[in-house]
Amino acid sequence: MGLVVQKYGGSSVADAEGIKRVAKRIVESKKNGNQVVAVVSAMGDSTDELIDLAEQVSPIPAGRELDMLLTAGERISMALLAMAIKNLGHEAQSFTGSQAGVITDSVHNKARIIDVTPGRIKTSVDEGNIAIVAGFQGVSQDSKDITTLGRGGSDTTAVALAAALEADVCEIYTDVDGVFTADPRVVKKARKIDWISFEDMLELAASGSKVLLHRCVEYARRYNIPIHVRSSFSGLPGTWVSNERPSEGGAEQVEHALISGVAHDVSEAKVTVVGVPDKPGEAAAIFRAIADAEINIDMVVQNVSAASTGLTDISFTLPKTDGKKATSALEKIKGRVGYDSLRYDDQVAKISLVGAGMKTNPGVTAQFFESLSDAGVNIELISTSEIRISVVTRADDVLGAVQAVHTSFGLDSDSDEAVVYGGTGR
Amino acid sequence: MGLVVQKYGGSSVADAEGIKRVAKRIVESKKNGNQVVAVVSAMGDSTDELIDLAEQVSPIPAGRELDMLLTAGERISMALLAMAIKNLGHEAQSFTGSQAGVITDSVHNKARIIDVTPGRIKTSVDEGNIAIVAGFQGVSQDSKDITTLGRGGSDTTAVALAAALEADVCEIYTDVDGVFTADPRVVKKARKIDWISFEDMLELAASGSKVLLHRCVEYARRYNIPIHVRSSFSGLPGTWVSNERPSEGGAEQVEHALISGVAHDVSEAKVTVVGVPDKPGEAAAIFRAIADAEINIDMVVQNVSAASTGLTDISFTLPKTDGKKATSALEKIKGRVGYDSLRYDDQVAKISLVGAGMKTNPGVTAQFFESLSDAGVNIELISTSEIRISVVTRADDVLGAVQAVHTSFGLDSDSDEAVVYGGTGR
């Protein structure tokens, strides 16, 4: 009874069987009385195969041409999907990003959406068709060249189209049942979250949860598009991400801490700049050097300086892939900053607890640290926000740490303690 | 020293190595001072692989979606080719058929070019870039949907672009050295033709020569675009197809028959309608039935009727693939036409001798039949035009027949007799 934008990832359309299964699901939604726009990624590993081909002809493929190349991937999956739907007796039309009106800037390989003008899509669904749209791609406003949106691009396409079409919901179909209170591969008793706020979802995404990317959630929050993350395999209800918890419950719980889940991330490394003179401008010089090297950092921690020496240590985390770039950038400014030494450590993990109302519930922080301590996990760095506590530990400790925190906060699926800090939407 | 449009087929860009080789050849042409526009087909068998995928999701893939799917093939090859050229230090940009301004009608899978508006290509080459264009594809004038041009589409794209850009030449790169006086796989001593007129080339293409398709030659003749067919592997000069024989020689030969070559075709079958009443309207009824079944016929032969019976036989040839359709169409009108019986024979071959000035050199026809007779080949049908003689023989006889005619007309590469009827442009 409305307009639904659906998104199917590469693993859902990995082969002909997958495409036929997805076609059935789309037709079901149409039969339920919805207008349906389906955004689709490239089949399985096909994008990687194209990148491999590109590297065979050119060690550093040109951005414009790489985008032209990679967009062939969605072209294949979307055309096949439209055929499969027509084979089920329903009308379908496929559209490239350009045809769908996805207008971007000119930054090839990681373009940002500037505008969406979905006139052809609107006409197509109004005429009774199911519209299939290539994810991940657009056309640049200035040069009319084909662009790609970079990582998580198809999710962003779906949310942006949903916003432009004023859709009732954006359904993100994936190979898991939804967003969980922890990674189900790590925590056996992780629970599927029925509802989570945009803010909590943003923190989870920033803390290592891979189900939805930060960028897509941010877009949905800005335009207030409810996201429904669900499995293309099971078809069961998944996780709703939206501003307001739907209907029943919740009101009487707003003063409690509502823990959404535990996230972990082992993709980061920790850099410590040891013996930094504790005077104005030193930290600025360090992070300017990092920024100039185009490295995104995550946590930043500075301890108070030792009174005896007037020196302090500054630590930060960053993607392991940027580790070498960061240390060599810092070594170049060693003389100017006058620090003692650099320590680089890539055997670390970040564990984060995310949930609304933490700040006003001091017990949450204490309980978090106690649960880690009970599990014998040493904390190396701490960083907190309004709705998140993150710690850095040894990489070896990550599984035990996540499990301990998950259990302690009553998130395990058969736990009775979920009343106090829990509340995952049920 | 001009604007060159080049076309590279799928076998020339079958893999990364092929793409790199083609990139080198294009750069060479650019270095020689030319502006270069390169039209490229999909890599090797990739189009067949896509069709196979389509058939896995839908037994009869929808035309619009099949075109969307297949055009991914050239998108991949053209982007890779542009990357490979940039890797050699030259600027290159790839363009889809739509971006290149190839405007077609809306007949999916076999669209016809209506117009070419190559503004972006012109700008790109004027800025010093090598422009790479996807062959085989365009965009429909009415619906703005992606279309494909069907068989030989990439050659047609190249010729159409050359016409619209007023190029000096359209170079068709392929996996053979040019157009030969006979199929080199059949006639060991077949000679490469240095120059051939549009008219002779059209007859050769219609008679079974596969190097250039009829459609592409027709387009080139209409817009008077010289074609140079040559090998992307050897880089040697190939065959020129144009209105006028280039520079030296020729003038004193115009009154001679100038034999271009011998073509053969084993893809056709022969239908004979036996015992047709010899009165007005009978032949019309037969060929109306064939036309209504959308079958293209080739040769048509009717003998004089036997005075005693007033009945005649009508024979025609057609693609073997249409054989069943034709006989069942004819059986339906048997009562109305009142013929005796149908004979269907798919064990036939067509052998054609093509060259200007045949009609005014009666010796050519006689020599053609004598050479077949000397080789013990029986003739079943004869059909002639201004510049072509074709006969139908048993399929088993085809190799011997082609060889005999080739030798008889002095076309063998070490023959001295090429003076009289020869003259293949040297």
Side-chain angles (χ1 to χ4, degrees), chain A residues 16 20 56 59 62 64-66 68 71 75 79 82-83 86-87 94 99 120 143-145, chain B residues 16 20 56 59 62 64-66 68 71 75 79 82-83 86-87 93-94 99 120 143 145:
Chain A
K20 287 196 261 187
Q56 285 179 46
R64 179 187 186 279
E65 302 307 325
L66 190 59
M68 188 67 99
T71 50
R75 199 178 189 87
M83 287 174 194
K86 288 174 82 84
N87 194 42
S94 65
Q99 291 176 332
R120 286 186 73 174
S143 60
K144 310 293 176 219
D145 284 329
Chain B
K20 286 195 262 188
Q56 285 180 43
R64 179 187 186 279
E65 302 307 324
L66 190 59
M68 187 67 97
T71 50
R75 199 178 189 86
M83 286 175 195
K86 287 172 82 82
N87 193 45
Q93 291 185 314
S94 65
Q99 290 176 333
R120 288 186 71 174
S143 59
D145 284 329

mmCIF file of all heavy atoms in Angstrom, chain A residues 16 20 56 59 62 64-66 68 71 75 79 82-83 86-87 94 99 120 143-145, chain B residues 16 20 56 59 62 64-66 68 71 75 79 82-83 86-87 93-94 99 120 143 145:
data_model
loop_
_atom_site.group_PDB
_atom_site.id
_atom_site.type_symbol
_atom_site.label_atom_id
_atom_site.label_comp_id
_atom_site.label_asym_id
_atom_site.label_seq_id
_atom_site.Cartn_x
_atom_site.Cartn_y
_atom_site.Cartn_z
ATOM 1 N N ALA A 16 22.237 -17.164 -11.288
ATOM 2 C CA ALA A 16 20.896 -17.158 -11.892
ATOM 3 C C ALA A 16 19.833 -17.559 -10.871
ATOM 4 O O ALA A 16 18.741 -16.978 -10.826
ATOM 5 C CB ALA A 16 20.865 -18.100 -13.101
ATOM 6 N N LYS A 20 16.599 -15.310 -9.650
ATOM 7 C CA LYS A 20 15.212 -15.777 -9.727
ATOM 8 C C LYS A 20 14.522 -15.682 -8.356
ATOM 9 O O LYS A 20 13.343 -15.335 -8.270
ATOM 10 C CB LYS A 20 15.168 -17.206 -10.270
ATOM 11 C CG LYS A 20 15.464 -17.249 -11.774
ATOM 12 C CD LYS A 20 15.061 -18.570 -12.395
ATOM 13 C CE LYS A 20 16.267 -19.477 -12.540
ATOM 14 N NZ LYS A 20 15.980 -20.713 -13.290
ATOM 15 N N GLN A 56 45.218 -5.815 -14.841
ATOM 16 C CA GLN A 56 46.027 -6.512 -15.839
ATOM 17 C C GLN A 56 46.431 -5.585 -17.000
ATOM 18 O O GLN A 56 47.452 -5.798 -17.633
ATOM 19 C CB GLN A 56 45.267 -7.714 -16.403
ATOM 20 C CG GLN A 56 45.197 -8.891 -15.447
ATOM 21 C CD GLN A 56 44.410 -10.033 -16.062
ATOM 22 O OE1 GLN A 56 44.604 -10.400 -17.219
ATOM 23 N NE2 GLN A 56 43.522 -10.612 -15.291
ATOM 24 N N PRO A 59 48.449 -0.678 -14.196
ATOM 25 C CA PRO A 59 48.700 -0.827 -12.757
ATOM 26 C C PRO A 59 47.851 0.132 -11.920
ATOM 27 O O PRO A 59 47.376 -0.235 -10.843
ATOM 28 C CB PRO A 59 50.195 -0.514 -12.614
ATOM 29 C CG PRO A 59 50.647 0.027 -13.913
ATOM 30 C CD PRO A 59 49.653 -0.347 -14.950
ATOM 31 N N ALA A 62 42.785 4.485 -14.577
ATOM 32 C CA ALA A 62 42.250 5.843 -14.501
ATOM 33 C C ALA A 62 40.843 5.825 -13.918
ATOM 34 O O ALA A 62 40.041 4.947 -14.227
ATOM 35 C CB ALA A 62 42.226 6.449 -15.900
ATOM 36 N N ARG A 64 38.079 7.708 -14.226
ATOM 37 C CA ARG A 64 36.915 7.781 -15.115
ATOM 38 C C ARG A 64 36.648 6.444 -15.786
ATOM 39 O O ARG A 64 35.514 5.990 -15.884
ATOM 40 C CB ARG A 64 37.157 8.846 -16.193
ATOM 41 C CG ARG A 64 36.015 9.003 -17.192
ATOM 42 C CD ARG A 64 36.414 9.948 -18.331
ATOM 43 N NE ARG A 64 35.307 10.237 -19.220
ATOM 44 C CZ ARG A 64 34.898 9.447 -20.202
ATOM 45 N NH1 ARG A 64 35.502 8.281 -20.416
ATOM 46 N NH2 ARG A 64 33.879 9.791 -20.970
ATOM 47 N N GLU A 65 37.712 5.806 -16.236
ATOM 48 C CA GLU A 65 37.559 4.548 -16.969
ATOM 49 C C GLU A 65 37.219 3.391 -16.036
ATOM 50 O O GLU A 65 36.487 2.483 -16.405
ATOM 51 C CB GLU A 65 38.817 4.258 -17.783
ATOM 52 C CG GLU A 65 39.160 5.365 -18.787
ATOM 53 C CD GLU A 65 38.000 5.725 -19.699
ATOM 54 O OE1 GLU A 65 37.240 4.818 -20.061
ATOM 55 O OE2 GLU A 65 37.836 6.930 -20.016
ATOM 56 N N LEU A 66 37.762 3.444 -14.818
ATOM 57 C CA LEU A 66 37.431 2.396 -13.851
ATOM 58 C C LEU A 66 35.935 2.455 -13.535
ATOM 59 O O LEU A 66 35.268 1.418 -13.435
ATOM 60 C CB LEU A 66 38.262 2.575 -12.577
ATOM 61 C CG LEU A 66 38.186 1.419 -11.578
ATOM 62 C CD1 LEU A 66 38.655 0.121 -12.210
ATOM 63 C CD2 LEU A 66 39.017 1.714 -10.329
ATOM 64 N N MET A 68 33.592 3.584 -15.553
ATOM 65 C CA MET A 68 32.905 3.078 -16.738
ATOM 66 C C MET A 68 32.899 1.548 -16.711
ATOM 67 O O MET A 68 31.890 0.908 -17.002
ATOM 68 C CB MET A 68 33.617 3.587 -17.991
ATOM 69 C CG MET A 68 32.906 3.304 -19.279
ATOM 70 S SD MET A 68 31.341 4.198 -19.450
ATOM 71 C CE MET A 68 31.853 5.579 -20.480
ATOM 72 N N THR A 71 30.676 -0.075 -13.664
ATOM 73 C CA THR A 71 29.230 0.054 -13.799
ATOM 74 C C THR A 71 28.628 -0.988 -14.726
ATOM 75 O O THR A 71 27.414 -1.160 -14.762
ATOM 76 C CB THR A 71 28.853 1.466 -14.298
ATOM 77 O OG1 THR A 71 29.649 1.771 -15.455
ATOM 78 C CG2 THR A 71 29.121 2.505 -13.224
ATOM 79 N N ARG A 75 24.817 -3.259 -14.498
ATOM 80 C CA ARG A 75 24.067 -3.319 -15.750
ATOM 81 C C ARG A 75 23.654 -4.760 -16.048
ATOM 82 O O ARG A 75 22.548 -5.030 -16.496
ATOM 83 C CB ARG A 75 24.967 -2.786 -16.859
ATOM 84 C CG ARG A 75 24.266 -2.362 -18.105
ATOM 85 C CD ARG A 75 25.303 -1.808 -19.061
ATOM 86 N NE ARG A 75 24.724 -1.187 -20.207
ATOM 87 C CZ ARG A 75 24.337 0.072 -20.278
ATOM 88 N NH1 ARG A 75 24.444 0.846 -19.229
ATOM 89 N NH2 ARG A 75 23.829 0.558 -21.378
ATOM 90 N N ALA A 79 19.626 -5.994 -15.604
ATOM 91 C CA ALA A 79 18.927 -6.473 -16.802
ATOM 92 C C ALA A 79 18.417 -7.895 -16.580
ATOM 93 O O ALA A 79 17.283 -8.227 -16.935
ATOM 94 C CB ALA A 79 19.850 -6.415 -18.014
ATOM 95 N N ALA A 82 15.375 -7.809 -14.293
ATOM 96 C CA ALA A 82 14.160 -7.373 -14.997
ATOM 97 C C ALA A 82 13.608 -8.497 -15.867
ATOM 98 O O ALA A 82 12.397 -8.734 -15.912
ATOM 99 C CB ALA A 82 14.460 -6.134 -15.846
ATOM 100 N N MET A 83 14.513 -9.225 -16.543
ATOM 101 C CA MET A 83 14.068 -10.372 -17.357
ATOM 102 C C MET A 83 13.366 -11.420 -16.506
ATOM 103 O O MET A 83 12.339 -11.972 -16.891
ATOM 104 C CB MET A 83 15.277 -11.062 -17.998
ATOM 105 C CG MET A 83 15.905 -10.300 -19.131
ATOM 106 S SD MET A 83 17.416 -11.200 -19.608
ATOM 107 C CE MET A 83 18.186 -9.930 -20.607
ATOM 108 N N LYS A 86 9.906 -10.291 -15.552
ATOM 109 C CA LYS A 86 8.992 -10.385 -16.696
ATOM 110 C C LYS A 86 8.619 -11.843 -16.958
ATOM 111 O O LYS A 86 7.498 -12.145 -17.345
ATOM 112 C CB LYS A 86 9.628 -9.751 -17.938
ATOM 113 C CG LYS A 86 9.692 -8.230 -17.857
ATOM 114 C CD LYS A 86 10.460 -7.623 -19.017
ATOM 115 C CE LYS A 86 9.618 -7.474 -20.260
ATOM 116 N NZ LYS A 86 8.823 -6.252 -20.285
ATOM 117 N N ASN A 87 9.574 -12.725 -16.705
ATOM 118 C CA ASN A 87 9.315 -14.149 -16.880
ATOM 119 C C ASN A 87 8.262 -14.654 -15.890
ATOM 120 O O ASN A 87 7.632 -15.683 -16.114
ATOM 121 C CB ASN A 87 10.616 -14.934 -16.720
ATOM 122 C CG ASN A 87 10.502 -16.348 -17.217
ATOM 123 O OD1 ASN A 87 9.914 -16.589 -18.273
ATOM 124 N ND2 ASN A 87 11.019 -17.293 -16.445
ATOM 125 N N SER A 94 14.557 -1.930 -16.437
ATOM 126 C CA SER A 94 15.779 -1.620 -15.706
ATOM 127 C C SER A 94 16.304 -0.250 -16.129
ATOM 128 O O SER A 94 16.099 0.181 -17.258
ATOM 129 C CB SER A 94 16.837 -2.696 -15.961
ATOM 130 O OG SER A 94 17.233 -2.695 -17.309
ATOM 131 N N GLN A 99 20.133 7.038 -15.912
ATOM 132 C CA GLN A 99 18.725 7.080 -16.324
ATOM 133 C C GLN A 99 17.800 7.318 -15.134
ATOM 134 O O GLN A 99 16.734 7.918 -15.273
ATOM 135 C CB GLN A 99 18.325 5.772 -17.012
ATOM 136 C CG GLN A 99 18.976 5.563 -18.374
ATOM 137 C CD GLN A 99 18.638 4.206 -18.990
ATOM 138 O OE1 GLN A 99 18.382 3.235 -18.285
ATOM 139 N NE2 GLN A 99 18.660 4.133 -20.313
ATOM 140 N N ARG A 120 12.052 9.411 -14.613
ATOM 141 C CA ARG A 120 11.774 8.205 -15.404
ATOM 142 C C ARG A 120 11.310 7.057 -14.511
ATOM 143 O O ARG A 120 10.492 6.228 -14.922
ATOM 144 C CB ARG A 120 13.026 7.772 -16.183
ATOM 145 C CG ARG A 120 13.306 8.679 -17.375
ATOM 146 C CD ARG A 120 14.448 8.149 -18.214
ATOM 147 N NE ARG A 120 14.074 6.960 -18.988
ATOM 148 C CZ ARG A 120 14.871 6.391 -19.877
ATOM 149 N NH1 ARG A 120 16.081 6.883 -20.105
ATOM 150 N NH2 ARG A 120 14.481 5.326 -20.546
ATOM 151 N N SER A 143 30.430 17.002 -16.036
ATOM 152 C CA SER A 143 30.985 16.441 -17.267
ATOM 153 C C SER A 143 30.088 15.383 -17.892
ATOM 154 O O SER A 143 30.390 14.882 -18.966
ATOM 155 C CB SER A 143 32.343 15.813 -16.950
ATOM 156 O OG SER A 143 32.180 14.791 -15.980
ATOM 157 N N LYS A 144 28.976 15.038 -17.209
ATOM 158 C CA LYS A 144 28.094 13.955 -17.694
ATOM 159 C C LYS A 144 28.836 12.634 -17.831
ATOM 160 O O LYS A 144 28.476 11.781 -18.641
ATOM 161 C CB LYS A 144 27.444 14.315 -19.051
ATOM 162 C CG LYS A 144 26.779 15.680 -19.104
ATOM 163 C CD LYS A 144 25.575 15.761 -18.215
ATOM 164 C CE LYS A 144 24.981 17.164 -18.200
ATOM 165 N NZ LYS A 144 24.525 17.553 -16.859
ATOM 166 N N ASP A 145 29.911 12.481 -17.077
ATOM 167 C CA ASP A 145 30.621 11.204 -17.074
ATOM 168 C C ASP A 145 29.978 10.266 -16.054
ATOM 169 O O ASP A 145 29.357 10.702 -15.090
ATOM 170 C CB ASP A 145 32.095 11.424 -16.715
ATOM 171 C CG ASP A 145 32.884 12.001 -17.882
ATOM 172 O OD1 ASP A 145 32.523 11.695 -19.035
ATOM 173 O OD2 ASP A 145 33.836 12.751 -17.634
ATOM 174 N N ALA B 16 43.364 -9.600 -21.690
ATOM 175 C CA ALA B 16 44.156 -8.423 -21.322
ATOM 176 C C ALA B 16 45.305 -8.208 -22.308
ATOM 177 O O ALA B 16 45.600 -7.071 -22.704
ATOM 178 C CB ALA B 16 44.685 -8.577 -19.893
ATOM 179 N N LYS B 20 45.987 -4.867 -24.636
ATOM 180 C CA LYS B 20 47.248 -4.108 -24.618
ATOM 181 C C LYS B 20 47.838 -3.986 -26.033
ATOM 182 O O LYS B 20 48.385 -2.953 -26.397
ATOM 183 C CB LYS B 20 48.240 -4.767 -23.660
ATOM 184 C CG LYS B 20 47.862 -4.529 -22.193
ATOM 185 C CD LYS B 20 49.001 -4.845 -21.252
ATOM 186 C CE LYS B 20 48.853 -6.226 -20.673
ATOM 187 N NZ LYS B 20 49.842 -6.509 -19.607
ATOM 188 N N GLN B 56 19.220 -18.445 -18.652
ATOM 189 C CA GLN B 56 19.045 -19.136 -17.373
ATOM 190 C C GLN B 56 17.939 -18.501 -16.530
ATOM 191 O O GLN B 56 17.321 -19.170 -15.708
ATOM 192 C CB GLN B 56 20.346 -19.121 -16.576
ATOM 193 C CG GLN B 56 21.400 -20.087 -17.093
ATOM 194 C CD GLN B 56 22.653 -20.007 -16.253
ATOM 195 O OE1 GLN B 56 22.614 -19.946 -15.023
ATOM 196 N NE2 GLN B 56 23.790 -19.978 -16.904
ATOM 197 N N PRO B 59 13.393 -17.947 -20.407
ATOM 198 C CA PRO B 59 13.554 -18.672 -21.673
ATOM 199 C C PRO B 59 13.531 -17.730 -22.884
ATOM 200 O O PRO B 59 14.260 -17.942 -23.837
ATOM 201 C CB PRO B 59 12.367 -19.636 -21.686
ATOM 202 C CG PRO B 59 11.470 -19.231 -20.579
ATOM 203 C CD PRO B 59 12.242 -18.397 -19.622
ATOM 204 N N ALA B 62 13.342 -10.561 -22.540
ATOM 205 C CA ALA B 62 12.711 -9.376 -23.122
ATOM 206 C C ALA B 62 13.745 -8.553 -23.879
ATOM 207 O O ALA B 62 14.875 -8.377 -23.432
ATOM 208 C CB ALA B 62 12.089 -8.544 -22.013
ATOM 209 N N ARG B 64 14.170 -5.292 -24.597
ATOM 210 C CA ARG B 64 14.754 -4.110 -23.959
ATOM 211 C C ARG B 64 15.811 -4.511 -22.935
ATOM 212 O O ARG B 64 16.895 -3.943 -22.877
ATOM 213 C CB ARG B 64 13.651 -3.302 -23.254
ATOM 214 C CG ARG B 64 14.174 -2.055 -22.523
ATOM 215 C CD ARG B 64 13.054 -1.401 -21.711
ATOM 216 N NE ARG B 64 13.462 -0.131 -21.121
ATOM 217 C CZ ARG B 64 14.169 -0.003 -20.005
ATOM 218 N NH1 ARG B 64 14.577 -1.075 -19.351
ATOM 219 N NH2 ARG B 64 14.486 1.190 -19.533
ATOM 220 N N GLU B 65 15.508 -5.522 -22.153
ATOM 221 C CA GLU B 65 16.427 -5.924 -21.084
ATOM 222 C C GLU B 65 17.628 -6.678 -21.648
ATOM 223 O O GLU B 65 18.730 -6.570 -21.121
ATOM 224 C CB GLU B 65 15.682 -6.750 -20.042
ATOM 225 C CG GLU B 65 14.492 -6.017 -19.408
ATOM 226 C CD GLU B 65 14.877 -4.653 -18.851
ATOM 227 O OE1 GLU B 65 16.005 -4.521 -18.330
ATOM 228 O OE2 GLU B 65 14.072 -3.706 -18.933
ATOM 229 N N LEU B 66 17.413 -7.428 -22.727
ATOM 230 C CA LEU B 66 18.536 -8.124 -23.344
ATOM 231 C C LEU B 66 19.542 -7.099 -23.884
ATOM 232 O O LEU B 66 20.757 -7.255 -23.736
ATOM 233 C CB LEU B 66 18.041 -9.031 -24.478
ATOM 234 C CG LEU B 66 19.084 -9.994 -25.056
ATOM 235 C CD1 LEU B 66 19.624 -10.918 -23.979
ATOM 236 C CD2 LEU B 66 18.499 -10.825 -26.190
ATOM 237 N N MET B 68 19.985 -4.065 -22.696
ATOM 238 C CA MET B 68 20.637 -3.473 -21.524
ATOM 239 C C MET B 68 21.769 -4.398 -21.056
ATOM 240 O O MET B 68 22.858 -3.959 -20.725
ATOM 241 C CB MET B 68 19.598 -3.293 -20.409
ATOM 242 C CG MET B 68 20.093 -2.553 -19.210
ATOM 243 S SD MET B 68 20.454 -0.803 -19.543
ATOM 244 C CE MET B 68 18.940 -0.023 -18.978
ATOM 245 N N THR B 71 24.891 -4.735 -23.726
ATOM 246 C CA THR B 71 25.727 -3.548 -23.856
ATOM 247 C C THR B 71 26.754 -3.451 -22.730
ATOM 248 O O THR B 71 27.688 -2.654 -22.831
ATOM 249 C CB THR B 71 24.878 -2.270 -23.892
ATOM 250 O OG1 THR B 71 23.952 -2.291 -22.798
ATOM 251 C CG2 THR B 71 24.103 -2.168 -25.187
ATOM 252 N N ARG B 75 30.988 -2.095 -22.768
ATOM 253 C CA ARG B 75 31.349 -1.172 -21.692
ATOM 254 C C ARG B 75 32.645 -1.648 -21.021
ATOM 255 O O ARG B 75 33.520 -0.858 -20.689
ATOM 256 C CB ARG B 75 30.205 -1.171 -20.687
ATOM 257 C CG ARG B 75 30.179 0.009 -19.764
ATOM 258 C CD ARG B 75 28.959 -0.117 -18.870
ATOM 259 N NE ARG B 75 28.720 1.047 -18.084
ATOM 260 C CZ ARG B 75 28.036 2.110 -18.490
ATOM 261 N NH1 ARG B 75 27.540 2.143 -19.701
ATOM 262 N NH2 ARG B 75 27.865 3.136 -17.687
ATOM 263 N N ALA B 79 36.290 0.416 -21.597
ATOM 264 C CA ALA B 79 36.929 1.027 -20.427
ATOM 265 C C ALA B 79 38.347 0.474 -20.255
ATOM 266 O O ALA B 79 39.294 1.212 -19.990
ATOM 267 C CB ALA B 79 36.087 0.768 -19.177
ATOM 268 N N ALA B 82 40.645 2.019 -22.856
ATOM 269 C CA ALA B 82 41.024 3.392 -22.503
ATOM 270 C C ALA B 82 42.095 3.396 -21.409
ATOM 271 O O ALA B 82 43.069 4.147 -21.468
ATOM 272 C CB ALA B 82 39.794 4.189 -22.063
ATOM 273 N N MET B 83 41.929 2.515 -20.420
ATOM 274 C CA MET B 83 42.931 2.405 -19.350
ATOM 275 C C MET B 83 44.289 2.015 -19.917
ATOM 276 O O MET B 83 45.325 2.556 -19.535
ATOM 277 C CB MET B 83 42.529 1.304 -18.358
ATOM 278 C CG MET B 83 41.395 1.660 -17.455
ATOM 279 S SD MET B 83 40.989 0.186 -16.485
ATOM 280 C CE MET B 83 39.387 0.698 -15.858
ATOM 281 N N LYS B 86 45.888 4.928 -21.658
ATOM 282 C CA LYS B 86 46.400 5.902 -20.691
ATOM 283 C C LYS B 86 47.685 5.384 -20.036
ATOM 284 O O LYS B 86 48.597 6.146 -19.741
ATOM 285 C CB LYS B 86 45.347 6.218 -19.631
ATOM 286 C CG LYS B 86 44.209 7.082 -20.178
ATOM 287 C CD LYS B 86 43.073 7.234 -19.185
ATOM 288 C CE LYS B 86 43.337 8.311 -18.166
ATOM 289 N NZ LYS B 86 43.018 9.669 -18.647
ATOM 290 N N ASN B 87 47.733 4.076 -19.858
ATOM 291 C CA ASN B 87 48.924 3.462 -19.276
ATOM 292 C C ASN B 87 50.134 3.615 -20.194
ATOM 293 O O ASN B 87 51.282 3.539 -19.747
ATOM 294 C CB ASN B 87 48.660 1.985 -18.978
ATOM 295 C CG ASN B 87 49.713 1.381 -18.095
ATOM 296 O OD1 ASN B 87 50.112 1.991 -17.100
ATOM 297 N ND2 ASN B 87 50.187 0.197 -18.457
ATOM 298 N N GLN B 93 39.487 8.572 -23.617
ATOM 299 C CA GLN B 93 38.197 8.588 -22.934
ATOM 300 C C GLN B 93 37.283 7.596 -23.626
ATOM 301 O O GLN B 93 37.244 7.536 -24.857
ATOM 302 C CB GLN B 93 37.553 9.977 -23.014
ATOM 303 C CG GLN B 93 38.277 11.039 -22.208
ATOM 304 C CD GLN B 93 37.520 12.361 -22.221
ATOM 305 O OE1 GLN B 93 37.074 12.795 -23.272
ATOM 306 N NE2 GLN B 93 37.374 12.974 -21.064
ATOM 307 N N SER B 94 36.538 6.826 -22.844
ATOM 308 C CA SER B 94 35.603 5.884 -23.453
ATOM 309 C C SER B 94 34.187 6.461 -23.423
ATOM 310 O O SER B 94 33.840 7.232 -22.535
ATOM 311 C CB SER B 94 35.646 4.545 -22.718
ATOM 312 O OG SER B 94 35.193 4.673 -21.397
ATOM 313 N N GLN B 99 26.354 7.980 -25.399
ATOM 314 C CA GLN B 99 27.193 9.164 -25.228
ATOM 315 C C GLN B 99 27.813 9.602 -26.560
ATOM 316 O O GLN B 99 28.071 10.789 -26.766
ATOM 317 C CB GLN B 99 28.310 8.879 -24.219
ATOM 318 C CG GLN B 99 27.819 8.717 -22.784
ATOM 319 C CD GLN B 99 28.943 8.344 -21.831
ATOM 320 O OE1 GLN B 99 29.946 7.744 -22.216
ATOM 321 N NE2 GLN B 99 28.784 8.690 -20.553
ATOM 322 N N ARG B 120 30.175 14.919 -28.502
ATOM 323 C CA ARG B 120 31.131 14.637 -27.430
ATOM 324 C C ARG B 120 32.414 14.017 -27.961
ATOM 325 O O ARG B 120 33.501 14.260 -27.444
ATOM 326 C CB ARG B 120 30.506 13.709 -26.383
ATOM 327 C CG ARG B 120 29.453 14.406 -25.528
ATOM 328 C CD ARG B 120 28.963 13.517 -24.407
ATOM 329 N NE ARG B 120 29.967 13.329 -23.356
ATOM 330 C CZ ARG B 120 29.728 12.694 -22.219
ATOM 331 N NH1 ARG B 120 28.531 12.185 -21.979
ATOM 332 N NH2 ARG B 120 30.670 12.558 -21.314
ATOM 333 N N SER B 143 12.188 6.455 -26.983
ATOM 334 C CA SER B 143 12.058 6.107 -25.568
ATOM 335 C C SER B 143 13.331 6.331 -24.776
ATOM 336 O O SER B 143 13.331 6.171 -23.573
ATOM 337 C CB SER B 143 11.659 4.638 -25.457
ATOM 338 O OG SER B 143 12.652 3.836 -26.074
ATOM 339 N N ASP B 145 15.687 4.452 -24.641
ATOM 340 C CA ASP B 145 16.144 3.161 -24.137
ATOM 341 C C ASP B 145 17.405 2.741 -24.888
ATOM 342 O O ASP B 145 17.627 3.140 -26.031
ATOM 343 C CB ASP B 145 15.055 2.093 -24.325
ATOM 344 C CG ASP B 145 13.946 2.244 -23.295
ATOM 345 O OD1 ASP B 145 14.250 2.689 -22.170
ATOM 346 O OD2 ASP B 145 12.790 1.923 -23.613
#
